[in-house]
Amino acid sequence: MSAVAEDGPLQDPAALASTARQLLVAAGMTSEMAEDVAAVLLEADLLGHRTHGLSMLPNYLERIERGATACKGDLEVLADGGASFAWRANRLPGAWVMRRAIREVLARVTSHPVITATIADCAHIGALQAYLKPITDEGLFVTLATTDPGLASVAPFGGAEPVLTSNPVAYGIPTLGDPILIDHSTSVVSNGSIAAYATRGERTPGPWLLDGQGHPSDDPACLGQEPPGTIALLGGPEFGYKGFGFSLMVEALSLGLSGHGRSTAPSRGGQGVFLQVIDPAAFAGREAFLRETTALAERCRASRPRAGGPPVRLPGERALANRARHLAEGLPYSRQVLDSITDWARRLGVEKGL
Amino acid sequence: MSAVAEDGPLQDPAALASTARQLLVAAGMTSEMAEDVAAVLLEADLLGHRTHGLSMLPNYLERIERGATACKGDLEVLADGGASFAWRANRLPGAWVMRRAIREVLARVTSHPVITATIADCAHIGALQAYLKPITDEGLFVTLATTDPGLASVAPFGGAEPVLTSNPVAYGIPTLGDPILIDHSTSVVSNGSIAAYATRGERTPGPWLLDGQGHPSDDPACLGQEPPGTIALLGGPEFGYKGFGFSLMVEALSLGLSGHGRSTAPSRGGQGVFLQVIDPAAFAGREAFLRETTALAERCRASRPRAGGPPVRLPGERALANRARHLAEGLPYSRQVLDSITDWARRLGVEKGL
């Protein structure tokens, strides 16, 4: 998730969320759904994941309009074993489904130390990192993996044909200080990041892609050619089998367990999700866990930086600093994003433009 | 885990295992411990992970001799919640502890669909991949992560000082055909692989290391210099923050939850382990899971290879082919490994040399 739209005028986060909520309600969402979706998009912006923030709102509204995201209906419970549950979401809004799942997991973890949940076919859940902190704040370790089986942009290692996609996975690790909030794709970069280079007509800074023959490429346009290129796996030509392994893990957990995968060639727009929360109290104890994670974080931060480099940062550290700064100072948005939201406001008869 | 000692005379696997068992018993292990340790070392060789096979036997015997691996005592149960348990192994043989843990997990998974276990401070468990197939053969998804908190050879991303180590993680994914058996370090290569280059006095094929200033290096000797160099993270200078994230996940699960981590600067030789088994039956069902994982495996294998490249292989595919071939034809070992084992046989008064 790379930077887009960071150079415009500063906006008030609360006002932006309010506008987003009104637009989502006008498009057909319940106020509860709109609340969750707006909050998660805004949270992604606050953390600095601008490709997954309110710049996605027009796309979300468009998906509602053509019925690709459902605003009515309820979650289907496929299985419920107390410490585990499996839902099918039938394209209901991802952020709303995810927040319900997290409330459920947090309620159950008081009775079972490990809660494991899967969600089949829910609409886009956005930036995984946006969901982690409320869980790590409870002293819990969290794993969150997702992918969209209707999307293929990454080849298996050694292949030249798209089968997988960026398949992100996130881990939240509590410490006595700030949590470690890991969130990254198992390809070198996300689909959104490549799309941003394509939109700007730029080459990628390195060979982040493979062309249709499987040769390294820095041309985002190769994704749209015939045969299509692919995004390189984490590890590249030499160690991409490791990115492949992690990618397969994400597929098995989020699509295999949820039962909604690539076998039926589903249309784009429905994600499978794997969510697991672990309470360290059931193992060597919360105190021992926090002692170890805190010592680890401190040792990493105290580690001598590479020659001429900045101090070592932990995953999530910059995101949490972004969040604090953006809440205090406001969030910058490009004119393009603001205009697009204003267009939608006009179209949906919502007074508040930007 | 790269190839060593693959060019010597072919040996009979059963005879080798028998010799290894006798040596381990002569060194002080119970016959049950010796059985498990010999079997896991041999299994690593069969799968092709020669750095983690019987070439480690002399090292294992030496560790027993100086008391770094315990042959007496029992496992301490730190916590037991039915679906979760935490053991402290006090340097008991890793393979013996692991096989007990796996039996326990498989017995419990009939009552709870997700079983999560941690082990603190057990002796070297060897190749993770060697443990996966008995679990995937039951139709279960398995995660296995481990590290040795007494070993530091990998720097945090952006750092030039060793804090972490190769921190491997393994995932076993059942399909209707062969299982997908993922096992890899979160650094570009393992400690054992770098050690093999160092022993041969060779440079690594690419900049797999960072020197003591954090500059890319292909010189394995830099690990022993002052300040020490480190092994590069998966993802390298550009995307190593992802390898860092996975490495921190391994630390949190195997050292944080087990309560035996780097905070107390333990001596080398005691590993923390995280083991989790998931029964797809509790989610969208075993049938749906296998349908998805099998379709995924087939789609990857059927994917067009990169220009001039061999067919796409799934993780574990070559290892399982190695295993079948080695069982049929015998295993090659270098004279060096065989001589070292024969020396130990003489020393421990075991008749059978090689």
Side-chain angles (χ1 to χ4, degrees):
Chain A
M1 289 176 283
S2 78
V4 292
E6 293 214 50
D7 53 353
L10 291 175
Q11 306 291 324
D12 169 30
L16 280 171
S18 163
T19 302
R21 278 196 304 274
Q22 289 175 60
L23 287 170
L24 290 163
V25 166
M29 279 193 188
T30 66
S31 60
E32 193 197 342
M33 289 173 179
E35 168 74 34
D36 287 339
V37 172
V40 167
L41 289 177
L42 185 70
E43 183 67 14
D45 274 331
L46 290 171
L47 294 168
H49 304 307
R50 309 307 302 269
T51 54
H52 284 58
L54 286 170
S55 65
M56 295 203 87
L57 185 60
N59 176 269
Y60 275 32
L61 294 167
E62 187 265 326
R63 287 190 202 184
I64 298 170
E65 200 168 64
R66 64 179 161 87
T69 294
C71 295
K72 290 196 168 56
D74 212 345
L75 294 162
E76 272 180 62
V77 178
L78 300 180
D80 192 335
S84 61
F85 60 90
W87 290 349
R88 187 196 303 272
N90 302 312
R91 308 278 167 126
L92 286 162
W96 175 76
V97 177
M98 276 300 299
R99 286 188 149 196
R100 282 181 71 159
I102 288 170
R103 280 199 299 276
E104 196 65 38
V105 159
L106 292 179
R108 292 176 186 220
V109 79
T110 54
S111 324
H112 308 280
V114 178
I115 306 288
T116 311
T118 61
I119 304 164
D121 202 23
C122 78
H124 195 249
I125 68 169
L128 305 192
Q129 203 179 45
Y131 297 101
L132 305 181
K133 196 160 175 295
I135 304 173
T136 57
D137 283 349
E138 302 295 323
L140 305 164
F141 179 95
V142 54
T143 301
L144 177 57
T146 189
T147 192
D148 181 335
L151 204 52
S153 57
V154 173
F157 185 66
E161 213 168 337
V163 174
L164 311 158
T165 184
S166 54
N167 290 8
V169 58
Y171 304 99
I173 305 173
T175 77
L176 289 171
D178 281 334
I180 302 171
L181 303 176
I182 299 156
D183 171 11
H184 56 241
S185 59
T186 51
S187 48
V188 290
V189 291
S190 68
N191 294 296
S193 172
I194 295 293
Y197 282 97
T199 302
R200 295 194 300 267
E202 289 174 16
R203 300 262 164 170
T204 57
W208 295 358
L209 301 130
L210 302 173
D211 68 19
Q213 305 307 322
H215 299 123
S217 167
D218 61 3
D219 182 8
C222 79
L223 292 188
Q225 287 158 2
E226 258 325 306
T230 55
I231 305 175
L233 283 160
L234 171 62
E238 208 171 7
F239 300 108
Y241 66 93
K242 300 191 184 198
F244 184 34
F246 283 123
S247 186
L248 291 168
M249 172 270 290
V250 171
E251 294 268 326
L253 292 177
S254 64
L255 303 184
L257 291 180
S258 74
H260 174 76
R262 300 180 187 276
S263 71
T264 54
S267 65
R268 186 173 171 171
Q271 294 183 305
V273 176
F274 174 84
L275 170 67
Q276 185 178 69
V277 163
I278 300 179
D279 186 350
F283 299 91
R286 285 190 170 207
E287 199 183 327
F289 180 82
L290 292 172
R291 182 189 68 226
E292 293 305 334
T293 58
T294 305
L296 178 67
E298 282 170 0
R299 204 167 297 189
C300 287
R301 278 201 195 89
S303 150
R304 189 162 36 81
R306 66 178 168 74
V312 169
R313 268 197 327 257
L314 286 164
E317 194 170 320
R318 183 161 59 181
L320 292 174
N322 284 337
R323 190 177 193 280
R325 194 181 74 247
H326 289 147
L327 281 174
E329 297 173 8
L331 265 159
Y333 284 89
S334 73
R335 205 58 257 172
Q336 188 197 339
V337 168
L338 297 174
D339 286 351
S340 167
I341 292 174
T342 302
D343 284 351
W344 273 97
R346 205 169 293 131
R347 197 158 145 194
L348 293 168
V350 172
E351 257 181 58
K352 176 90 181 177
L354 293 171
Chain B
M1 290 176 284
S2 77
V4 292
E6 293 217 50
D7 52 354
L10 292 176
Q11 307 290 324
D12 169 29
L16 281 171
S18 163
T19 301
R21 277 197 304 273
Q22 290 175 59
L23 287 170
L24 290 163
V25 167
M29 279 193 187
T30 65
S31 59
E32 194 197 342
M33 289 173 179
E35 168 76 34
D36 287 339
V37 172
V40 167
L41 289 177
L42 185 70
E43 184 67 15
D45 273 331
L46 290 171
L47 294 168
H49 304 307
R50 309 308 302 269
T51 54
H52 285 58
L54 285 170
S55 65
M56 295 203 87
L57 185 60
N59 175 268
Y60 275 31
L61 294 168
E62 187 265 326
R63 288 190 202 184
I64 297 170
E65 199 168 65
R66 63 177 161 86
T69 293
C71 296
K72 290 196 170 52
D74 212 345
L75 294 162
E76 272 179 63
V77 178
L78 299 179
D80 193 334
S84 61
F85 59 90
W87 291 348
R88 186 196 303 274
N90 301 311
R91 308 277 168 128
L92 285 162
W96 175 76
V97 177
M98 277 300 298
R99 286 188 148 195
R100 282 180 72 160
I102 288 170
R103 280 199 298 276
E104 195 65 39
V105 160
L106 292 179
R108 293 177 185 219
V109 79
T110 54
S111 324
H112 308 279
V114 179
I115 306 288
T116 310
T118 61
I119 303 163
D121 200 24
C122 78
H124 195 250
I125 68 169
L128 305 192
Q129 202 179 45
Y131 297 101
L132 305 180
K133 196 162 176 295
I135 304 173
T136 57
D137 282 350
E138 302 295 322
L140 305 164
F141 179 96
V142 53
T143 301
L144 176 57
T146 189
T147 192
D148 181 335
L151 204 52
S153 56
V154 173
F157 185 65
E161 213 168 340
V163 173
L164 311 158
T165 184
S166 54
N167 290 8
V169 59
Y171 304 99
I173 306 174
T175 77
L176 288 171
D178 281 334
I180 303 171
L181 304 176
I182 299 155
D183 170 10
H184 55 242
S185 59
T186 52
S187 48
V188 290
V189 291
S190 68
N191 295 296
S193 172
I194 294 293
Y197 281 98
T199 301
R200 295 194 300 267
E202 288 175 16
R203 300 262 164 170
T204 57
W208 295 358
L209 301 128
L210 302 173
D211 69 17
Q213 307 305 323
H215 299 123
S217 166
D218 61 2
D219 182 7
C222 78
L223 293 188
Q225 285 157 4
E226 258 323 307
T230 55
I231 304 175
L233 283 160
L234 171 63
E238 207 171 8
F239 300 108
Y241 65 94
K242 300 191 184 199
F244 184 34
F246 283 123
S247 186
L248 292 168
M249 172 272 288
V250 171
E251 294 268 327
L253 292 177
S254 64
L255 303 184
L257 290 179
S258 74
H260 173 76
R262 299 179 189 277
S263 71
T264 52
S267 65
R268 186 173 169 172
Q271 293 184 303
V273 176
F274 173 85
L275 171 67
Q276 186 178 70
V277 163
I278 300 180
D279 187 349
F283 299 91
R286 283 190 170 208
E287 200 184 327
F289 181 81
L290 292 172
R291 183 188 67 228
E292 293 305 333
T293 58
T294 304
L296 177 68
E298 282 170 1
R299 203 166 298 189
C300 287
R301 277 201 196 90
S303 151
R304 190 163 35 82
R306 66 179 168 71
V312 168
R313 268 199 326 259
L314 286 164
E317 194 169 322
R318 183 161 56 180
L320 292 174
N322 285 336
R323 190 175 194 281
R325 194 181 73 248
H326 289 147
L327 281 174
E329 298 174 5
L331 265 159
Y333 285 89
S334 74
R335 204 59 254 175
Q336 189 198 339
V337 169
L338 297 175
D339 287 350
S340 167
I341 292 175
T342 302
D343 284 350
W344 273 97
R346 206 169 293 133
R347 196 160 146 195
L348 292 168
V350 172
E351 257 180 59
K352 177 89 183 184
L354 292 168

